[in-house]
Amino acid sequence: MGVTQIRMKVNGVTESLDVEPWASLLDTLRERLGLTGTKKGCDQGACGACTVLADGVRINACLALAVQYDGSEITTVEGVDHPLQQAFVRHDGFQCGYCTPGQICSAIGMLAEHAAGMPSAVGASGLTEDEIRERMSGNLCRCGAYNGILDAIKEVL
Amino acid sequence: MSTEVAEAGRAEAVRQVGRPADRFDAPEKVTGRAKYAAEFPYPDLAYAALVHSTVARGRITALDAGAARAVRGVIEVLTHENAPKMRPLSRLNLGSFVKGTNVDYLGTDQVHWNGQPIAVVVAETPEAARHAASLVRVTYEELPAKLDFAAEEPHAVPQKGNAIMRSAADKGDAHAALAAAPVKVDLRFTTPPQNHNAIEPHATTAFWQGDRLTVHDTTQSIAFLRKHLAMRFGVPERNVRVLAPFVGGGFGGKGMVWAGTLLAVLAARATGRPVRLALTRESVYHTVGGRTPTVQRVALGADRDGRLTALIHTSVARSGGMPGQVTAASRHLYAAETVHLRQSLVDLDLLPPTAMRAPGEAIGTFALEAAVDELAWELGVDPIELRMRNEPERDPLTGRAFSHRMLREAYALGAERFGWRERDPRPGAMRDGRWLVGMGVATAYHPSLIMPAAATVRLGADGTVLVRCGLHEIGVGAATAQAQIAADALGVPLESVRVEVGDSDLPAGPMAGGSAQTASAAAGVLAACDKLKRQVLALAGPPLRGRKPEEVQARDGGLHVGGSGMTYAEILAGAGRDHVEAAVKAGWARFLARTARDGRRWVRAASGAQFCEVRVDADTGEVRVSRWLGVFDVGRVVNAKTAASQLRGGIVMGIGLALSEQTLVDPRTGRVVNPSLAEYHVPVHADIPRIDVHYLDDPDPTTPLGLLGVGEVGITGVAAAVANAVRHATGRRVLDLPITLDKLL
């Protein structure tokens, strides 16, 4: 079983990596590149803690194989510089902080999805509170900071 | 800490305490720089994965690790046949009383529960470890096992109580009073097992250098873990360093020492490599206990005016782990003429339960407060009014004074803010299209505890302050709160204070549990600040020379008497000192004496009033929580922002308890069948409305700074408030949690 060489631009830096075909993008980021800002909460796409942006689109890095993203641009929380981060602080959009990088990357991706006209089950015309709640429901927060997350996102609309 | 010191603390002008200061650790958390237990790099790091038993009880007859060893990158497969032995715990160690945390992992061929770790694979990569773990083949001689809580419940035995956790009480003849009562309810409630599901799964990175051990761990109890590891691995305590600067949520699940931590340390010792064991979500379910299931009976008798003549609350829960105080709220909430409380336990061959946010109280208040609501229906009385008619002046069972009791104020404020008057009392009367709207209330109640905490406070010549205490940053804003407290005690700006937490090399802090961390550490930090001020005063020249500590005020970065004073920088410069440091030790003997003394004097607790509005789909029975308001008496609030977040977080977890959370155990095999966040449903963003939190912010007169604890009271009463709102919306009383839609069809 061989390894595959891939090239990814991660947070603006081109990385050339030999990866095994079964290595997830999440484990590659955390264990190979030392980018531990992206979290592992379930490793099965249920919690959203591993959300990163791949070519601007939010994905669960635990459900992605690194080899699938050969040639892609990946942004993790370490590469994010967005007013949302300060808004999360102001509105206490977290407690333990473990879901936070995923929440922030997910919110950035969600805003782009909405701007691009992607629908949701709520079907409101603008980004109402219910729309934001629905579109952010793939990111679990066990500390229960949802109110603060909502306020943080509303602040940057 | 003495009451004198507590009063000294309160006498300080409050400037930072109470402010909604941003968390000190916030920048690290929103940029990904905060490092958690599985994120510390080590050269030559190896990765471990667990193999779990697939039978509930029995003996391993054969274990074939050949295929696992053949996987490229596998370093070692540790089993009961080749693993180094761990030492048994002494009876003096708290952990030895906690069944399931003192299992002889890999030291025995015995299997005690389905999912018990029976082998550990250590490999060069996480992928190789996990793959190899799946290749270990095990055969067992199976033994009969008790696995079905419902079937064993009739065989429950009385739970042993202790000075802090009581398990039985009687006042008069409650059974006779119930029989004679003109109005009564007699209900049987059931609550399922649940799991904490902190988003960070348990993880350990362990590294031995000779007989010195460094452990990065997801722990809520640094000092206890250090003692435990020293004992199990036969090294002096000073040789063990536990680091936990950030913990990704705990809720009780990271309080005890579970298999993953021990086996990572064992694997590191066996292989001579630094080892990381980051549990899979499924492994967390198999190795870390959760909340016990219960069966509870609450029977209430009342006269026609609604005054309680009988209160009976009995519970059956599982043994092992932390025996929760299921009937605790029933001891203190109502002035019933007669009372009968009993807690019983059943033994099962499953991973034992452990403390989960308000163990006992979260589910005990569900039964009690739903029964009180049902009695209100029977009487045709408003449920808030019924509670007020039975609000006691003194503790109902002991006659002791409440140190603080503001339930009347909490309900009055809550009713006004929530619009309780708009509630049409008839069931199903408040309809909005297809939605049946209901409003419910319930009382929140959680006992208050203060544990010993050591701390040091160091004042630098430049006026900066360093507070050191082995606290746990599990999301509560521990450093921020203590910085606010120290800033006020010393009269310095918040920006001048730095707080070090999360390291066993620091003075031992309290565990993060029992809603006690902030108040316990505050006691230590205030005492240390007081000592520090005395030391600084002794160094000071005129105008402070010869002044008594009581005459001196700490403010504006220095010490002052009336209009004149000196800055700390001036005092230290004058004395030729570059710093002054004061240390306070934990003092367990004093803690026990004080706890016993306070327990004889006062009943001390945080409490509150929970208000809930639900909308129930008339066709499908789907329940949506549409509004929430909680008014809490938590004594003084240290940080208005983080305290509100903790209370909200408790309510969110309570909504999960009410509507969606349950760990499903197959009663034939003892296997958890939904060990994942996809199949165990914690509340998601769309499930949670605006949660309006108010606190009365009135300091308790008997604790340092007047704190009562905010970590757990938020979850109590929540499930009852939801069930009571559902009762109002639909006319249906659901007695079995969670309230899933099938129970309303």
Side-chain angles (χ1 to χ4, degrees):
Chain A
M1 285 179 288
V3 294
T4 305
Q5 192 179 67
I6 60 167
R7 285 166 76 84
M8 291 188 298
K9 204 174 212 183
V10 183
N11 299 332
V13 178
T14 302
E15 303 280 359
S16 196
L17 291 166
D18 291 328
V19 295
E20 286 160 323
W22 54 77
S24 72
L25 178 59
L26 176 59
D27 285 339
T28 303
L29 290 170
R30 282 174 63 86
E31 306 297 338
R32 294 287 302 279
L33 298 177
L35 292 170
T36 52
T38 306
K39 304 304 182 194
K40 184 185 280 193
C42 70
D43 219 17
Q44 58 168 198
C47 76
C50 65
T51 307
V52 299
L53 298 164
D55 300 317
V57 175
R58 56 176 175 169
I59 62 164
N60 285 326
C62 72
L63 294 186
L65 295 172
V67 291
Q68 290 174 277
Y69 288 85
D70 187 13
S72 292
E73 278 194 34
I74 306 294
T75 305
T76 70
V77 71
E78 289 96 337
V80 169
D81 182 10
H82 194 283
L84 253 179
Q85 289 160 293
Q86 195 49 44
F88 265 68
V89 175
R90 220 168 4 254
H91 295 284
D92 218 24
F94 53 88
Q95 291 187 44
C96 79
Y98 199 79
C99 74
T100 313
Q103 300 277 1
I104 288 170
C105 288
S106 184
I108 292 169
M110 181 274 289
L111 294 172
E113 284 168 14
H114 183 260
M118 199 177 281
S120 89
V122 172
S125 55
L127 262 186
T128 62
E129 292 196 351
D130 279 348
E131 275 288 354
I132 296 170
R133 287 190 182 107
E134 171 70 22
R135 290 169 186 262
M136 288 299 294
S137 281
N139 291 83
L140 303 179
C141 172
R142 187 57 158 164
C143 298
Y146 294 129
N147 281 193
I149 294 167
L150 178 65
D151 287 335
I153 294 171
K154 281 177 70 181
E155 188 179 300
V156 302
L157 290 181
Chain B
M1 188 171 85
S2 70
T3 345
E4 294 70 40
V5 177
E7 270 147 21
R10 274 199 305 284
E12 301 299 334
V14 172
R15 293 176 290 259
Q16 294 300 334
V17 168
R19 274 193 54 222
D22 287 345
R23 293 167 192 270
F24 279 20
D25 55 1
E28 288 162 278
K29 286 179 172 175
V30 297
T31 55
R33 292 200 310 268
K35 283 215 178 299
Y36 296 79
E39 299 173 353
F40 288 85
Y42 277 90
D44 210 24
L45 182 68
Y47 297 84
L50 299 180
V51 179
H52 300 277
S53 78
T54 54
V55 302
R57 198 161 161 252
R59 195 174 66 78
I60 299 167
T61 52
L63 192 151
D64 176 5
R69 285 181 198 284
V71 171
R72 191 162 58 94
V74 168
I75 299 161
E76 182 58 282
V77 180
L78 294 167
T79 73
H80 66 284
E81 289 165 347
N82 66 355
K85 300 287 176 252
M86 282 185 281
R87 297 193 181 189
L89 285 171
S90 115
R91 292 296 297 173
L92 292 172
N93 187 283
L94 179 63
S96 60
F97 296 104
V98 182
K99 190 183 144 194
T101 61
N102 62 347
V103 170
D104 193 11
Y105 297 110
L106 305 194
T108 173
D109 59 0
Q110 300 295 310
V111 173
H112 302 282
W113 73 84
N114 195 326
Q116 177 184 319
I118 49 168
V120 181
V121 178
V122 185
E124 300 291 347
T125 65
E127 293 89 350
R130 284 180 69 174
H131 175 55
S134 75
L135 300 177
V136 174
R137 292 288 166 262
V138 189
T139 51
Y140 306 89
E141 177 196 345
E142 280 195 69
L143 293 168
K146 289 192 288 183
L147 303 170
D148 188 347
F149 179 70
E152 297 299 325
E153 183 246 317
H155 312 304
V157 297
Q159 177 180 333
K160 284 195 190 112
N162 61 44
I164 297 175
M165 301 222 203
R166 300 175 199 280
S167 58
D170 279 293
K171 178 184 170 188
D173 186 345
H175 290 100
L178 181 71
V183 185
K184 66 189 92 173
V185 296
D186 193 343
L187 301 168
R188 184 179 189 273
F189 298 89
T190 49
T191 67
Q194 285 146 2
N195 279 75
H196 310 80
N197 281 310
I199 299 296
E200 178 199 28
H202 295 57
T204 307
T205 307
F207 176 44
W208 286 94
Q209 286 166 295
D211 64 352
R212 302 186 74 83
L213 170 66
T214 304
V215 176
H216 305 267
D217 192 71
T218 50
T219 178
Q220 288 178 243
S221 192
I222 290 167
F224 173 46
L225 172 58
R226 181 196 200 192
K227 272 194 208 331
H228 191 113
L229 291 174
M231 211 174 278
R232 292 305 278 269
F233 291 94
V235 295
E237 219 181 294
R238 64 178 179 276
N239 285 16
V240 179
R241 185 166 185 200
V242 176
L243 291 155
F246 292 103
V247 178
F251 317 111
K254 293 169 179 171
M256 294 293 159
V257 184
W258 300 98
T261 304
L262 293 170
L263 292 175
V265 175
L266 187 75
R269 180 171 253 190
T271 59
R273 299 270 297 264
V275 168
R276 176 174 303 157
L277 176 50
L279 296 189
T280 62
R281 181 59 58 181
E282 181 173 354
S283 284
V284 177
Y285 275 84
H286 292 323
T287 61
V288 178
R291 195 191 291 285
T292 178
T294 62
V295 174
Q296 300 176 58
R297 176 191 179 208
V298 180
L300 303 172
D303 65 20
R304 297 206 183 276
D305 292 331
R307 274 184 292 268
L308 286 174
T309 55
L311 190 170
I312 294 172
H313 189 172
T314 64
S315 68
V316 179
R318 283 188 52 207
S319 64
M322 177 81 66
Q325 298 194 83
V326 181
T327 62
S330 296
R331 305 180 72 87
H332 307 295
L333 282 184
Y334 297 107
E337 278 170 28
T338 67
V339 178
H340 173 79
L341 309 177
R342 288 290 184 278
Q343 295 179 180
S344 308
L345 301 173
V346 295
D347 252 327
L348 293 180
D349 297 306
L350 300 172
L351 172 63
T354 193
M356 179 167 161
R357 205 171 201 165
E361 297 89 354
I363 45 184
T365 51
F366 162 63
L368 174 66
E369 290 295 289
V372 169
D373 191 76
E374 200 53 34
L375 182 67
W377 285 102
E378 284 294 320
L379 286 158
V381 172
D382 178 272
I384 297 176
E385 173 57 27
L386 176 62
R387 287 176 173 85
M388 294 306 101
R389 285 183 198 173
N390 289 286
E391 174 66 6
E393 296 305 316
R394 302 181 75 82
D395 187 53
L397 282 173
T398 61
R400 285 177 196 140
F402 295 120
S403 73
H404 208 241
R405 180 92 161 189
M406 300 185 76
L407 275 173
R408 287 186 190 279
E409 291 85 345
Y411 271 108
L413 181 64
E416 184 200 321
R417 296 283 177 92
F418 196 66
W420 184 252
R421 247 183 309 178
E422 322 288 310
R423 177 180 184 261
D424 183 329
R426 298 166 302 159
M430 295 174 67
R431 195 165 175 142
D432 178 13
R434 59 192 265 232
W435 297 102
L436 300 165
V437 180
M439 290 160 76
V441 294
T443 299
Y445 186 91
H446 192 269
S448 214
L449 185 69
I450 294 175
M451 295 187 281
T456 63
V457 179
R458 177 192 167 108
L459 175 68
D462 57 355
T464 59
V465 173
L466 174 65
V467 176
R468 304 175 85 231
C469 180
L471 295 170
H472 310 80
E473 189 46 87
I474 60 169
V476 302
T480 319
Q482 297 307 323
Q484 289 175 269
I485 290 166
D488 279 358
L490 297 175
V492 298
L494 188 58
E495 302 71 50
S496 305
V497 185
R498 210 157 56 78
V499 183
E500 288 182 357
V501 304
D503 184 344
S504 63
D505 276 1
L506 296 171
M511 79 169 290
S515 298
Q517 179 170 260
T518 300
S520 306
V525 168
L526 283 173
C529 286
D530 195 59
K531 200 167 163 184
L532 181 82
K533 279 186 285 188
R534 289 166 189 269
Q535 288 171 218
V536 172
L537 182 60
L539 297 174
L544 295 172
R545 178 168 295 155
R547 293 291 189 166
K548 294 198 175 91
E550 309 82 74
E551 299 174 273
V552 174
Q553 270 188 315
R555 60 176 162 82
D556 303 325
L559 299 179
H560 299 262
V561 177
S564 59
M566 298 170 82
T567 65
Y568 291 123
E570 287 167 354
I571 299 171
L572 266 62
R577 300 281 292 265
D578 68 354
H579 75 275
V580 178
E581 184 168 297
V584 167
K585 290 204 164 75
W588 280 90
R590 239 180 333 145
F591 158 73
L592 292 171
R594 188 193 58 224
T595 303
R597 184 199 65 188
D598 287 2
R600 286 192 299 272
R601 286 190 191 170
W602 304 294
V603 171
R604 192 191 279 151
S607 61
Q610 308 271 18
F611 288 75
C612 164
E613 181 189 272
V614 297
R615 299 162 85 80
V616 183
D617 189 303
D619 296 321
T620 68
E622 181 186 3
V623 179
R624 309 292 302 169
V625 175
S626 48
R627 284 200 300 142
W628 200 283
L629 182 143
V631 182
F632 297 97
D633 170 22
V634 291
R636 192 199 299 280
V637 169
V638 178
N639 182 315
K641 186 178 283 195
T642 55
S645 289
Q646 273 204 76
L647 291 165
R648 273 196 197 98
I651 292 164
V652 171
M653 198 176 278
I655 290 172
L657 165 69
L659 294 178
S660 61
E661 294 188 28
Q662 55 183 328
T663 306
L664 299 164
V665 181
D666 185 335
R668 300 162 303 177
T669 62
R671 193 80 170 171
V672 174
V673 298
N674 61 339
S676 85
L677 287 167
E679 292 158 290
Y680 180 106
H681 296 146
V682 307
V684 304
H685 204 141
D687 295 327
I688 301 303
R690 287 275 166 199
I691 294 174
D692 200 0
V693 165
H694 298 267
Y695 23 72
L696 300 168
D697 203 17
D698 187 63
D700 181 279
T702 69
T703 67
L705 267 188
L707 313 181
L708 289 171
V710 297
E712 293 165 283
V713 67
I715 192 175
T716 64
V718 172
V722 174
N724 298 345
V726 168
R727 169 74 166 85
H728 178 226
T730 65
R732 302 277 288 274
R733 170 62 62 189
V734 178
L735 302 167
D736 175 43
L737 292 183
I739 306 170
T740 45
L741 64 184
D742 51 299
K743 294 171 191 171
L744 291 169
L745 289 178

